[in-house]
Amino acid sequence: MEKIFEFDFLSILISTLYFGLIMSLLILLLSYGNKVKKNAVSSLFIGVTLYYAFFLLNHVVSFKSIPPDSIYYANIIKDYWNNYDSWSEGVRLYALINFIPFQLSLKYPVLFVLINIFFFYSGIIFIGKSFMKLMTFYQVSVSNNFMAHLLLYAAFYPSAFIIVPSLLREGSMIFFFGLCTFLLTDLYTQRGQHKRIKLYIFLSALVLLTLIRPIGGVSYMVAIFLFYLWDFWKKGKLKPIIIGLFSLGLFIFLINFIVDSFYNMSFSFSWIAQYRASHAELFGAEAYGTQLDWTGFLSSMKSSILLFLQYLFSPFPIIIPSEIAFQKIIPTIDASFILISMAPVIFITKTRPLKMILFFCFILLLIPAMFETHISGAYRHRMNAIVLLLPVFAYTMNKALFNLTKRK
């Protein structure tokens, strides 16, 4: 671990300066369009401090192993121009997208960990502001302490707590996901100035999100497309629905044509069955859903539901054997966090904005669930959907506690 994260007097000094700069920038972002409350700043400080403290503690104790990707990124940060071409296309693309942050790391990977934490909390703030804007648009009241509770909730989100204070791509992914969500909400709820500029920024952020996490970006596009079709249907606008369905049909035809031309196969449930079966040997005992039945419509629907639930609550033993499932300590803690957080959501989903968010989350979970085959992969890859649920968790938990207190 010392070979990746090296500490000397200069790196410690710059880290201290970066910590202060990051806190200042996050508070500035927090204050955009809203008055900053002290408890929100306190929650932010607690979150950033805990994440960085976990990284430092892990550096000393080494209770969490370093993924191979971190080694690649660390080498590029230390010497960008000599090491950039040494790794795979995915690593090079991530390094290219983060060219400026890598340069700001000043050849110290430890500084990029702080930048990654900044990316994550920026994304959470964007998502929190999106939630507040959407609730206000539909005239649903939100507690003045909402942002403080959200930031504190995010501080204890197990997956983020483990993954974000590292060199991995999840920090950047959440940043662009949060930015996309903020701009999408802004475009949906406002008809003011600079709409075209916001649209261009949104599309740019969506492209970068897709490059960092392809299945996440594609899922987000599908969710947006289906939401607007539903919204147009509710408003009785048939023309955009017809155009949208025609475009979708043409897109599916072209994708099938390209895949059939290059790989001699067409996308279908049987293709999903083949894809999942091919990972049985690759991941061995930690592969799941490799022998599900996809022969008929009802069987395919059943398999899809099982994969969705397993992806959302992995590694709980839904289709995974219990003797393997509970060997995964961190994913089990993460799944428990999601299960407990979702409990009050079941009772408070009558408002339209909450239904809209849950719809987006459903699509963001369903599509990746069809392709996830590794027990431990799910808890990392479902993060973009879960961070979108964090404001809902914070809001519904506050609502449930308020109702409980009122009854007493």
Side-chain angles (χ1 to χ4, degrees), residues 87-336:
W87 311 107
S88 67
E89 290 182 3
V91 172
R92 293 201 301 270
L93 183 60
Y94 175 68
L96 185 63
I97 292 171
N98 278 286
F99 175 78
I100 294 176
F102 276 18
Q103 299 308 307
L104 289 174
S105 300
L106 306 176
K107 301 185 183 298
Y108 287 111
V110 64
L111 295 180
F112 187 74
V113 173
L114 277 169
I115 294 172
N116 233 5
I117 295 171
F118 166 76
F119 281 154
F120 173 75
Y121 272 98
S122 296
I124 295 297
I125 291 171
F126 279 133
I127 290 169
K129 286 183 176 293
S130 302
F131 181 86
M132 294 172 68
K133 186 182 287 289
L134 192 64
M135 297 293 271
T136 302
F137 181 74
Y138 284 103
Q139 299 179 338
V140 181
S141 61
V142 178
S143 168
N144 290 331
N145 297 317
F146 165 76
M147 190 61 79
H149 295 154
L150 170 62
L151 292 169
L152 198 59
Y153 216 80
F156 294 99
Y157 172 30
S159 281
F161 191 79
I162 297 295
I163 295 169
V164 169
S166 69
L167 305 180
L168 297 176
R169 63 187 71 192
E170 274 68 22
S172 301
M173 179 189 74
I174 299 302
F175 173 80
F176 288 114
F177 179 79
L179 181 59
C180 283
T181 303
F182 177 78
L183 291 169
L184 180 65
T185 307
D186 204 45
L187 290 166
Y188 179 76
T189 58
Q190 292 187 350
R191 302 293 182 267
Q193 297 179 336
H194 312 302
K195 190 173 182 181
R196 183 172 294 182
I197 296 173
K198 292 176 183 177
L199 179 60
Y200 289 151
I201 298 173
F202 165 75
L203 293 174
S204 300
L206 185 57
V207 169
L208 291 171
L209 171 65
T210 306
L211 292 174
I212 292 172
R213 175 91 171 111
I215 191 69
V218 171
S219 301
Y220 202 36
M221 292 179 204
V222 173
I224 293 169
F225 176 79
L226 293 176
F227 168 75
Y228 271 98
L229 280 186
W230 174 56
D231 196 50
F232 287 139
W233 176 265
K234 295 276 286 186
K235 294 175 180 177
K237 297 180 179 180
L238 295 179
K239 186 177 178 179
I241 294 175
I242 294 170
I243 294 172
L245 291 174
F246 176 78
S247 302
L248 177 64
L250 182 62
F251 176 76
I252 293 173
F253 172 79
L254 290 173
I255 290 294
N256 267 316
F257 177 77
I258 293 169
V259 172
D260 185 55
S261 300
F262 285 92
Y263 302 103
N264 195 28
M265 63 173 66
S266 59
F267 183 81
S268 62
F269 282 125
S270 60
W271 180 86
I272 295 176
Q274 293 173 20
Y275 170 83
R276 300 193 67 84
S278 68
H279 285 69
E281 186 176 347
L282 180 63
F283 296 133
E286 296 198 347
Y288 73 87
T290 57
Q291 297 180 337
L292 294 173
D293 185 7
W294 300 90
T295 52
F297 178 77
L298 291 178
S299 297
S300 298
M301 289 300 101
K302 178 184 176 182
S303 296
S304 298
I305 293 169
L306 288 172
L307 287 177
F308 172 82
L309 293 173
Q310 186 62 77
Y311 184 72
L312 177 58
F313 297 116
S314 184
F316 286 164
I318 297 171
I319 56 178
I320 295 173
S322 57
E323 61 271 16
I324 297 175
F326 292 113
Q327 294 176 4
K328 305 294 181 180
I329 298 174
I330 295 172
T332 300
I333 295 172
D334 187 67
S336 301

Side-chain angles (χ1 to χ4, degrees), residues 131 135 140-142 146 354 391-399:
F131 181 86
M135 297 293 271
V140 181
S141 61
V142 178
F146 165 76
L354 291 181
V392 181
F393 293 162
Y395 173 80
T396 52
M397 192 71 76
N398 286 343
K399 200 82 171 174

